[in-house]
C-alpha cells in the first residue's frame, strides 16, 4: 500500500472523513460535502452543503426532507469513477434498499470500500450487493453475532400467507420499516403468489409510490382509510412498527400482529413487543454473510463501523486479518426502533 488507509479516511465527530477528497461519508452532523450511501435517516441527513449520492438516494432524501435538503446535489452513476478532490470515488450496489450503494475510495494504490448497510439475501426491490476487491473493507455489523443467522426468506413470507389462509376473518397487521422493508415484503408476497390488494398505513405511502414509479412491481396497493379498518378482516396491512402496537391497529378485526425484522430471530424480543407472528426478514447481512463478504473482498484489513462490532473484530483476528472497531456514534438501527416513519427517529436508536 502506497498511501496509509488511516490517512485516507479518518474518524471525526461528524463521521468518516477523507481529507484528500475533503468529504465525509454519511455524516451525522451538517458538513460542507457529504457522500451518502443510502436513504435511511441515520445515514442520510438533511442540511449538508453538497451531497453526492445515487439518483434514487437523492430522490428518497427529497421525498423525506423536501427539495431544499442540501445546498447542492451531485448524482453518482453506479460503477463510474468520479474525481472528488484528490480522491477517486465509485458507488457500487449494496443490496440494502433502493438506491443503496457502497462507496469505493481510491488514492494512490490503496482502495477502501465503505459498505454502508448491506445484505446478500435476495431482494426483488433493489440491485444486489457487488463485492469489490479492496485493501480495507469498512463494514457494518448490525447482526454481527454468530447467533444471527437469518432463515430463508421465502419460508418467512410463506408463514404470513399461511396465517392469512388459516385465519381468514382476522386482519394481519405487519410492522415494517417505511423505507425498503415494507416494499420488500410486498414484492415477496407477490412472488409468493399473493394477489389480493395489500393495504398500507399512510406513513408508507410516499415511499411505496416512489418504488412503484421506479418500476418495482408491488401489485395493487391501497392506503387504509379510517372508515375501512373494521372491514379489513383477512387483509394484509403494512404499517410502521410503532403503529402496529398502538390504538391504530386495534381498530382492525381481531388483528394478528406481525413484525418483519431481523430482530425477530430473538424470541424474547418478539414476546416483549407483543408480536404474535414474528417474521425474520432483514435488510442487513447476517453473521455468515458478514464473514463471507469480508473474505470475498480479499481485504487484509477490516474496520467495523456500527452494530455488534467486537465479535466480528475477533473473528477477523482468527482469520489473520487486521481489524478494529470504530464504534461510530449516531447510527441507529432502524430495524430495532422502527418507529421512524413519522418523525424519522430511528436515528436515535443506540
Ligand atoms: Zn440502512
Ligand atoms: Zn445503518
Amino acid at each position: 500500500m502506497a498511501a496509509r488507509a488511516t490517512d485516507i479516511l479518518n474518524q471525526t465527530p461528524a463521521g468518516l472523513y477523507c481529507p484528500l477528497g475533503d468529504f465525509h461519508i454519511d455524516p451525522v452532523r451538517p458538513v460542507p460535502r457529504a457522500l451518502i450511501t443510502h436513504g435511511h435517516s441515520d445515514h442520510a441527513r438533511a442540511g449538508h452543503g453538497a451531497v453526492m449520492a445515487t439518483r434514487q438516494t437523492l430522490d428518497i432524501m427529497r421525498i423525506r426532507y423536501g427539495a431544499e435538503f442540501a445546498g447542492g446535489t451531485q448524482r453518482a452513476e453506479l460503477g463510474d469513477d468520479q474525481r472528488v478532490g484528490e480522491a477517486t470515488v465509485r458507488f457500487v450496489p449494496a443490496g440494502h434498499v433502493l438506491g443503496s450503494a457502497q462507496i469505493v475510495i481510491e488514492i494512490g494504490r490503496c482502495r477502501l470500500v465503505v459498505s454502508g448497510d448491506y445484505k446478500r439475501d435476495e431482494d426483488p426491490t433493489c440491485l444486489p450487493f457487488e463485492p469489490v476487491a479492496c485493501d480495507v473493507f469498512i463494514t457494518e455489523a448490525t447482526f454481527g453475532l454468530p447467533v444471527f443467522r437469518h432463515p430463508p426468506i421465502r419460508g418467512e413470507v410463506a408463514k404470513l400467507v399461511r396465517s392469512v389462509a388459516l385465519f381468514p376473518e382476522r386482519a394481519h397487521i405487519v410492522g415494517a420499516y417505511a423505507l425498503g422493508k415494507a416494499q420488500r415484503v410486498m414484492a415477496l408476497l407477490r412472488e409468493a403468489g399473493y394477489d389480493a390488494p395489500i393495504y398500507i398505513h399512510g406513513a408508507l405511502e410516499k415511499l411505496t409510490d416512489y418504488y412503484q414509479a421506479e418500476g418495482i412491481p408491488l401489485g395493487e396497493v391501497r392506503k387504509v382509510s379510517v372508515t375501512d379498518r373494521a372491514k379489513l378482516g383477512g387483509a394484509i396491512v403494512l404499517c410502521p412498527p410503532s403503529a402496529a402496537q398502538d390504538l391504530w391497529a386495534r381498530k382492525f378485526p381481531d388483528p394478528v400482529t406481525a413484525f418483519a425484522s431481523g430482530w425477530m430471530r430473538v424470541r424474547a424480543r418478539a414476546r416483549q413487543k407483543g408480536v404474535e407472528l414474528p417474521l425474520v426478514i432483514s435488510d442487513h447481512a447476517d453473521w455468515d454473510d458478514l464473514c463471507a463478504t469480508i473474505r470475498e473482498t480479499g481485504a487484509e484489513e477490516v474496520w467495523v463501523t456500527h452494530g455488534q462490532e467486537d465479535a466480528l473484530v475477533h473473528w477477523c483476528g482468527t482469520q489473520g486479518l487486521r481489524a478494529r472497531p470504530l464504534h461510530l456514534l449516531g447510527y441507529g438501527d432502524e430495524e430495532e426502533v422502527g418507529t421512524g416513519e413519522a418523525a424519522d427517529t430511528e436515528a436515535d436508536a443506540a
Side-chain angles (χ1 to χ4, degrees):
M1 267 183 246
R4 280 196 20 219
T6 46
D7 296 332
I8 294 176
L9 218 47
N10 331 140
Q11 255 180 284
T12 73
L16 289 169
Y17 174 66
C18 175
L20 288 168
D22 193 20
F23 60 82
H24 287 79
I25 295 182
D26 291 353
V28 296
R29 300 177 183 180
V31 299
R33 183 189 289 278
L35 273 55
I36 307 273
T37 59
H38 68 286
H40 280 147
S41 64
D42 51 334
H43 293 257
R45 298 172 193 250
H48 303 305
V51 168
M52 184 191 275
T54 63
R55 178 184 59 80
Q56 290 169 329
T57 295
L58 293 173
D59 287 344
I60 288 165
M61 292 180 78
R62 208 167 287 121
I63 290 167
R64 300 191 121 179
Y65 303 128
E68 307 293 308
F69 71 90
T73 60
Q74 190 179 350
R75 186 165 144 178
E77 301 297 341
L78 287 169
D80 283 2
D81 284 343
Q82 275 174 288
R83 207 63 191 167
V84 182
E86 289 170 53
T88 301
V89 303
R90 185 162 80 239
F91 286 60
V92 176
H96 178 55
V97 296
L98 192 62
S100 66
Q102 310 167 71
I103 297 175
V104 182
I105 304 169
E106 262 181 69
I107 291 174
R109 299 170 85 88
C110 187
R111 186 187 293 161
L112 286 73
V113 173
V114 179
S115 74
D117 292 338
Y118 66 100
K119 72 172 174 295
R120 307 300 303 269
D121 236 358
E122 64 162 300
D123 182 342
T125 69
C126 65
L127 294 172
F129 180 95
E130 284 175 25
V132 177
C134 57
D135 301 297
V136 182
F137 186 54
I138 300 159
T139 182
E140 62 135 326
T142 302
F143 291 110
L145 286 174
V147 65
F148 289 114
R149 292 200 157 91
H150 304 326
I153 198 89
R154 286 169 204 279
E156 298 303 292
V157 174
K159 273 191 217 166
L160 176 57
V161 175
R162 215 179 304 128
S163 178
V164 172
L166 214 54
F167 304 111
E169 71 295 343
R170 301 180 70 185
H172 284 65
I173 312 296
V174 184
Y177 184 64
L179 170 57
K181 187 64 60 66
Q183 296 80 21
R184 186 178 180 212
V185 169
M186 289 187 244
L188 290 167
L189 279 166
R190 297 316 187 194
E191 282 192 357
Y194 183 81
D195 56 10
I198 295 173
Y199 290 82
I200 57 170
H201 185 287
L204 307 186
E205 192 180 22
K206 278 189 194 158
L207 287 166
T208 300
D209 285 351
Y210 179 67
Y211 269 64
Q212 285 181 309
E214 285 295 294
I216 314 293
L218 303 177
E220 188 183 349
V221 179
R222 295 185 189 163
K223 189 174 136 182
V224 172
S225 70
V226 182
T227 49
D228 278 347
R229 287 185 291 187
K231 297 179 228 150
L232 291 179
I236 294 179
V237 183
L238 273 73
C239 65
S242 56
Q245 287 171 319
D246 71 22
L247 202 60
W248 181 84
R250 276 177 239 139
K251 303 279 163 131
F252 292 89
D254 193 14
V256 174
T257 309
F259 185 19
S261 164
W263 295 108
M264 290 297 100
R265 177 79 180 69
V266 185
R267 289 282 155 177
R269 206 179 283 236
R271 267 199 306 277
Q272 178 201 341
K273 284 176 173 275
V275 176
E276 191 176 337
L277 183 65
L279 304 170
V280 188
I281 299 176
S282 174
D283 284 334
H284 294 272
D286 67 1
W287 172 258
D288 291 333
D289 284 344
L290 289 169
C291 296
T293 303
I294 289 170
R295 278 204 211 91
E296 248 179 298
T297 64
E300 283 172 10
E301 189 170 333
V302 176
W303 301 351
V304 186
T305 55
H306 63 297
Q308 311 276 349
E309 295 107 311
D310 296 335
L312 201 58
V313 166
H314 176 81
W315 176 86
C316 288
T318 68
Q319 306 297 304
L321 307 175
R322 285 191 305 280
R324 61 189 182 101
L326 300 185
H327 298 301
L328 292 188
L329 299 177
Y331 301 94
D333 172 22
E334 65 278 350
E335 291 209 337
E336 177 157 29
V337 177
T339 54
E341 290 64 32
D344 279 319
T345 52
E346 75 267 40
D348 299 330

